[in-house]
Amino acid sequence: MEIRYQIVRMLSDGRFHSGEALAAAFGVSRAAIWKQIGHIREQLGLDLFAVRGRGYRLAQPLELLEKELIFSSIPKESRRLLSKLEIHHRITSTNSYLMELGAKGVDSGCVSLAEQQHAGRGRRGRQWISPYGSNIYLSILWRYALAPADLTGLSLAVGIGVMRSLEALGVRGVGLKWPNDLLCGDRKLAGLLLEVTGEQTGPSCVVLGLGFNTLLTETQGADIDQPWTDLAHVPGGRDIPRNELVAVLLGNLLEVMAGFEREGLAPFKAEWQRHDLYHGKAVVLQMGTRRIEGIHSGIDSSGALLLEENGEVKVYHGGEVSLRPL
Ligand code: BTN
């Protein structure tokens, strides 16, 4: 592990550590520690205090991701679906990384997590804000015998995997927005990005990416172009350890991904409709420059959006839904 990450691990308790103690712990000079502190501030974006005579301290303690802890906390029956678990400190994007591994033939069930993404991607070409040591940036690669066209419902099914995890952890007040956003009080808590490659008639390879805000400061969230929230501000979410959340999410998401191959969206549809925050509401569907107004009438068996326009129900496969302003 690079020295800067070892220093961060030592400082993650939120207490003061003297330059001398850090230098002795890692067998380097105090000047070398000072240089690394600069990298930690600039590259990792962590807020650090340096106080003469006391040393260095992080503004907030961090709960860093622990591979062994996560692995052993995944329920045994779901753990068998995991082929590999990797945790990166800093990566471009866990989705981009797994897409590359997918092209090289890595097995189904490969999971990649990161403490920080410096080119995190959201849907519709957005960036995904991914500061170091908070939130969850998680990707899972799964291989299907199915054709890419048969996987459209998967993007909704995985939302159920996240909802089940939150329910199991006692989190309240979160629902789904088509196709796969998780909102609390109309603010985005988490989003899913599915990227599919494959032959026209199958097989296919899917990389599922989950970005889940656990703790974001106002400064970190300043560039997000939609209302957002984090788990610390959601009922029942404040004290959930990050490692536990990851383990519960992985258990549920792996089960959903494996189950979709056998049964498709059908076993998840009723549950999806129950969590659908906009069902029956007046919405706007933005498709490129096209703006369609209607009443959100649920989803069909492929996961497409049903919109009632002047008494007629139409089916839409893409676009961005928002509530129609009064
Ligand atoms: C959305 O726009 O709602 C989807 C956001 C998906 C973000 C996650 S973070 C982990 C994975 N890696 C990425 O670059 N994107 C996804």
Side-chain angles (χ1 to χ4, degrees), residues 38-325:
H39 290 314
I40 292 169
R41 282 197 174 116
E42 279 150 38
Q43 195 184 57
L44 308 187
L46 290 173
D47 206 0
L48 263 171
F49 300 123
V51 177
R52 195 179 288 274
R54 297 196 72 186
Y56 306 102
R57 173 170 90 75
L58 282 175
Q60 300 290 337
L62 292 178
E63 186 200 343
L64 296 170
L65 298 174
E66 306 274 353
K67 185 172 161 174
E68 299 310 321
L69 177 60
I70 293 172
F71 184 77
S72 60
S73 309
I74 301 172
K76 264 211 189 84
E77 56 289 1
S78 315
R79 217 186 288 161
R80 72 191 154 83
L81 300 168
L82 185 72
S83 62
K84 194 174 186 192
L85 175 62
E86 290 185 359
I87 299 180
H88 302 266
H89 286 280
R90 183 175 148 86
I91 199 169
T92 51
S93 142
T94 52
N95 257 43
S96 305
Y97 171 73
L98 278 194
M99 298 278 286
E100 280 167 29
L101 287 196
K104 290 182 187 152
V106 78
D107 283 342
S108 209
C110 180
V111 170
S112 169
L113 283 147
E115 292 288 8
Q116 180 187 32
Q117 297 184 119
H118 55 92
R121 295 183 288 112
R123 289 175 65 232
R124 314 179 77 72
R126 288 188 169 109
Q127 65 162 333
W128 189 261
I129 303 290
S130 313
Y132 189 94
S134 62
N135 308 328
I136 288 166
Y137 321 116
L138 178 164
S139 298
I140 304 176
L141 180 142
W142 203 265
R143 296 189 182 278
Y144 291 93
L146 301 167
D150 296 328
L151 291 170
T152 50
L154 178 62
S155 96
L156 278 82
V158 288
I160 293 300
V162 182
M163 283 305 302
R164 287 179 181 169
S165 307
L166 294 180
E167 283 175 347
L169 291 162
V171 177
R172 303 177 304 278
V174 179
L176 293 164
K177 185 185 92 160
W178 186 87
N180 51 21
D181 281 355
L182 282 99
L183 308 185
C184 178
D186 232 13
R187 295 175 164 274
K188 186 150 165 171
L189 173 68
L192 291 146
L193 172 70
L194 269 88
E195 299 186 281
V196 183
T197 50
E199 303 299 321
Q200 206 183 352
T201 54
S204 312
C205 176
V206 176
V207 173
L208 158 71
L210 168 69
F212 191 119
N213 299 331
T214 55
L215 188 61
L216 265 180
T217 63
E218 288 297 327
T219 318
Q220 288 164 342
D223 288 338
I224 304 180
D225 63 355
Q226 49 192 329
W228 56 268
T229 188
D230 59 25
L231 194 60
H233 294 91
V234 168
R238 176 180 289 276
D239 298 321
I240 298 174
R242 219 168 141 231
N243 285 288
E244 185 184 347
L245 175 62
V246 169
V248 174
L249 283 166
L250 276 177
N252 281 298
L253 288 170
L254 287 164
E255 290 293 343
V256 168
M257 293 189 89
F260 192 88
E261 172 91 61
R262 299 187 299 269
E263 301 175 284
L265 181 62
F268 306 102
K269 196 173 161 221
E271 206 172 334
W272 209 93
Q273 310 252 38
R274 211 169 54 243
H275 293 300
D276 185 351
L277 291 170
Y278 289 3
H279 199 143
K281 299 210 165 135
V283 295
V284 177
L285 178 69
Q286 194 73 43
M287 295 180 80
T289 53
R290 216 174 136 207
R291 190 175 185 276
I292 306 147
E293 295 195 351
I295 304 295
H296 186 324
S297 309
I299 53 170
D300 75 2
S301 56
S302 72
L305 175 73
L306 301 175
L307 213 56
E308 188 192 313
E309 298 162 56
N310 306 317
E312 192 188 340
V313 176
K314 294 193 182 160
V315 180
Y316 293 95
H317 296 274
E320 179 122 325
V321 180
S322 55
L323 285 177
R324 196 153 76 204

